[in-house]
Amino acid sequence: MVNTNIIFPSSNNNNNNNNTMTNYILNLLIATSIIYMQMITNYHNMDQHDNYYLNNYALGMLKSLPKNSLFITNYDQQWTASRYLQICEGIRGKEDVYTVNLSMMTFQWFHKQRHLYPKFNFIFNGKEKYYLARMSTKQYKRGEAFSFLEFLNNNYDNFPGGIYLGGKVGFNEETIRRQFYEEIPHGLLTKFQRIESAADKKINNNINKMNLVSKYYKKHYMKPWNIVNKHLKFDGTAKNIDMKHSIDLIKYGEETWESTVYIDYWDHRIDNAAYLLDRITSCKDDTIALKNNFIQFDPNLLKTNKKLASLIKNEEEICTNTVKHVVLLADISKIFEEFFVERDEKEKQGIDMRMHKITPSMYKNVGIAYSRIVQSKVDIPNGSTKNGYPLHMNVYNMHKKHDHDYDYKNHASLRTLETWKAFVEMPKAKEDPSYGT
């Protein structure tokens, strides 16, 4: 007998299945919405696809160094980024550029790492020392630690390319050290240049060893900054960049390494410009005296020695009243003005720029540059035209009488008064040694 009973799904089962599916879809929609909201809320801050600041920062430092040089760093971001490029990417490897972390040298266990630095000499006046310390410490006085000055003295000749520092030494021994070493700005770094005694200068009466301004400008200013600005395009006035990159300091706040890269860039950019300004505005008499000394030694020397004549000519072009000298003054002024513009733009975005403030010396120095441009009897060819205007365009926009007013000397004169007025009105201006003048 055939069973004809047919079992139909109950309405309760259908309702349960429908509720389950509805709940599933509803939960999926809620989860998807939460994820979507998180993505659109945080995507901008988490998006790092074009964040090459640390990479470019390290490239700018490493590639600006000569071969067989020592790079001492005291900043974490410099150390980690540069070591990655050297070890992982093979850029400026150890045999090319020696890199050491200054802070690590202060630990007592550093002597266990000395095998990693075979070029370093740790024998000081016949006695072995193990790690770095201040001269005022017990460790140094006991003779187990060496000072930074001793380290420089012991290893200076081991690195023909020079010894360079990233960051600060921080030992409060600058007064002692600067009796023996001049600290020369070199892009994002500082080079330690041994100061020769008067006796050494007589023995080494070689123009290649003279501290010429033209040599500094070419070797320690133009060359490293051309390299740095190729990688870090923060300065819109730099001559070798195609497009300025403006870092987002809201996304990269002051606690980030990216912000530190930006601040360190501008600190060195301004310091280098101030150093160059001081050199080119105080070297005229030395240049004239140097040329006269050679003529007195041999009246025909500059006629027969083309290399020497070229060196003297380069020095005259930078240090005396020439077109190149005035163009350099204008280029220096543009760096300061670009910094002012950068800072104003960031403040308008609501960014706190206390870590990146304008100092009295900045206004003073840019005022000096403008005043020298005004005083010069030399005119820059095409300087009063749109294509040849030598000053920052912000200066043009502030002082033009009409759209075709490119009278750069008049603009420089007006800007001199503005910047020096700003200088004397700043609270700390009186602390500047030149305030009285």
Side-chain angles (χ1 to χ4, degrees), residues 147-158:
S147 70
F148 188 71
L149 178 60
E150 287 178 321
F151 178 80
L152 289 178
N153 291 338
N154 243 32
N155 294 282
Y156 190 83
D157 294 328
N158 294 341

Side-chain angles (χ1 to χ4, degrees), residues 373-387:
I373 293 172
V374 175
Q375 294 167 6
S376 174
K377 296 179 181 179
V378 174
D379 292 323
I380 298 175
N382 301 316
S384 295
T385 65
K386 180 178 180 180
N387 294 330

Side-chain angles (χ1 to χ4, degrees), residues 7 30 34 70 74 94 105 128 130 160-161 170 234 241 247 281 283-284 287 324 331 337 404 437:
I7 301 175
I30 292 172
I34 292 172
L70 170 60
N74 203 22
K94 186 176 179 181
M105 293 174 68
E128 183 179 22
Y130 304 100
F234 295 145
I241 70 170
I247 186 171
T281 55
C283 60
K284 179 179 178 180
T287 302
K324 185 171 184 178
D331 288 345
E337 296 290 358
H404 301 289
T437 58

Side-chain angles (χ1 to χ4, degrees), residues 56-95:
N56 293 339
Y57 181 57
L59 283 173
M61 289 183 292
L62 289 174
K63 289 191 173 183
S64 71
L65 289 167
K67 191 173 182 178
N68 296 320
S69 58
L70 170 60
F71 173 26
I72 305 171
T73 176
N74 203 22
Y75 285 165
D76 287 344
Q77 72 272 21
Q78 290 183 354
W79 171 250
T80 52
S82 61
R83 293 303 289 154
Y84 168 78
L85 290 180
Q86 286 187 296
I87 295 173
C88 301
E89 302 289 342
I91 298 172
R92 303 306 300 268
K94 186 176 179 181
E95 295 306 314

Side-chain angles (χ1 to χ4, degrees), residues 117-346:
Y117 304 96
K119 285 187 179 181
F120 287 174
N121 179 7
F122 293 101
I123 306 299
F124 301 85
N125 295 322
K127 182 179 180 179
E128 183 179 22
K129 295 187 179 183
Y130 304 100
Y131 56 93
L132 176 66
R134 298 184 184 187
M135 294 180 181
S136 59
T137 61
K138 294 179 180 179
Q139 295 91 329
Y140 177 77
K141 293 177 180 177
R142 286 199 301 261
E144 63 189 58
F146 52 87
S147 70
F148 188 71
L149 178 60
E150 287 178 321
F151 178 80
L152 289 178
N153 291 338
N154 243 32
N155 294 282
Y156 190 83
D157 294 328
N158 294 341
F159 297 94
I163 297 178
Y164 299 81
L165 174 70
K168 306 291 183 182
V169 177
F171 282 179
N172 297 321
E173 296 170 351
E174 290 84 359
T175 302
I176 298 174
R177 188 172 64 248
R178 287 170 183 169
Q179 295 176 28
F180 304 95
Y181 292 91
E182 182 182 0
E183 297 178 13
I184 299 176
H186 179 93
L188 297 172
L189 306 172
T190 300
K191 181 183 181 183
F192 292 103
Q193 183 71 46
R194 181 181 283 166
I195 298 173
E196 292 185 327
S197 65
D200 289 336
K201 287 181 180 179
K202 288 181 180 179
I203 295 172
N204 298 322
N205 191 14
N206 185 337
I207 196 167
N208 291 323
K209 294 186 177 182
M210 292 181 181
N211 190 14
L212 300 176
V213 181
S214 55
K215 186 168 71 172
Y216 163 76
Y217 173 70
K218 181 180 179 181
K219 184 177 180 181
H220 297 295
Y221 186 84
M222 283 303 298
K223 185 176 180 179
W225 277 114
N226 282 341
I227 293 170
V228 171
N229 287 327
K230 181 180 178 181
H231 298 286
L232 291 175
K233 303 180 180 183
F234 295 145
D235 183 356
T237 69
K239 295 180 179 179
N240 63 332
I241 70 170
D242 48 1
M243 183 180 296
K244 176 181 173 180
H245 291 173
S246 184
I247 186 171
D248 185 349
L249 292 183
I250 297 176
K251 179 176 181 177
Y252 301 111
E254 63 180 23
E255 74 283 356
T256 65
W257 276 1
E258 288 82 2
S259 173
T260 304
V261 168
Y262 176 78
I263 292 172
D264 195 48
Y265 171 92
W266 276 111
D267 283 347
H268 283 89
R269 191 73 168 138
I270 292 295
D271 287 346
N272 280 221
Y275 181 86
L276 179 62
L277 176 67
D278 181 63
R279 292 294 301 271
I280 68 172
T281 55
S282 61
C283 60
K284 179 179 178 180
D285 291 341
D286 289 339
T287 302
I288 294 172
L290 179 64
K291 182 177 181 179
N292 290 337
N293 287 340
F294 283 119
I295 293 174
Q296 289 176 7
F297 176 77
D298 183 350
N300 296 316
L301 185 60
L302 296 181
K303 296 177 181 179
T304 57
N305 190 323
K306 293 183 179 180
K307 182 179 180 181
L308 181 60
S310 178
L311 288 171
I312 295 298
K313 181 182 177 181
N314 291 338
E315 199 74 358
E316 285 181 318
E317 286 182 343
I318 284 182
C319 295
T320 60
N321 193 27
T322 65
V323 170
K324 185 171 184 178
H325 177 79
V326 179
V327 169
L328 273 180
L329 291 169
D331 288 345
I332 290 169
S333 74
K334 285 198 290 188
I335 293 172
F336 284 97
E337 296 290 358
E338 182 72 3
F339 173 78
F340 299 155
V341 170
E342 271 282 299
R343 194 177 184 282
D344 287 344
E345 288 177 351
K346 302 300 183 188

Side-chain angles (χ1 to χ4, degrees), residues 364 423-426 428-437:
K364 180 195 73 174
F423 164 64
V424 297
E425 289 179 350
M426 294 190 78
K428 292 188 177 182
K430 292 183 179 180
E431 298 176 10
D432 192 286
S434 60
Y435 178 82
T437 58

